[in-house]
Amino acid sequence: GDRAGLVGINRIGLERAGYSPEEIKLLKVVYRRLFFGEGQFRTRLEKLRAEHASSKAACSFLDFIISYQ
């Protein structure tokens, strides 16, 4: 059967990559708002990108999502 699904961010991978606990916490919030928030996905994506323009971690994550749409 189909077992693919969204569960959450890869916290251990982010820690190993050198992300700070604060960055990981922010990415968790951004992830939840992006994938489980209300409204259209594209609108949520654009809003989050604008809200977190000063966060390199959030921008990298959101830009990665944008590049695959």
Side-chain angles (χ1 to χ4, degrees):
D2 184 12
R3 296 185 180 147
L6 296 173
V7 177
I9 62 170
N10 180 355
R11 183 182 52 81
I12 293 172
L14 292 170
E15 288 173 355
R16 289 179 180 165
Y19 285 83
S20 71
E22 294 79 20
E23 289 172 316
I24 294 171
K25 186 176 181 179
L26 174 62
L27 287 172
K28 187 176 181 180
V29 169
V30 169
Y31 169 87
R32 285 183 178 169
R33 287 182 57 200
L34 179 61
F35 289 104
F36 301 107
E38 293 185 18
Q40 293 185 336
F41 182 82
R42 184 69 166 168
T43 303
R44 292 191 310 265
L45 181 60
E46 291 169 357
K47 184 176 179 181
L48 286 166
R49 183 64 173 85
E51 286 177 12
H52 299 286
S54 63
S55 167
K56 183 178 178 189
C59 287
S60 293
F61 171 69
L62 295 167
D63 289 346
F64 173 79
I65 301 297
I66 290 168
S67 72
Y68 281 92
Q69 284 198 344

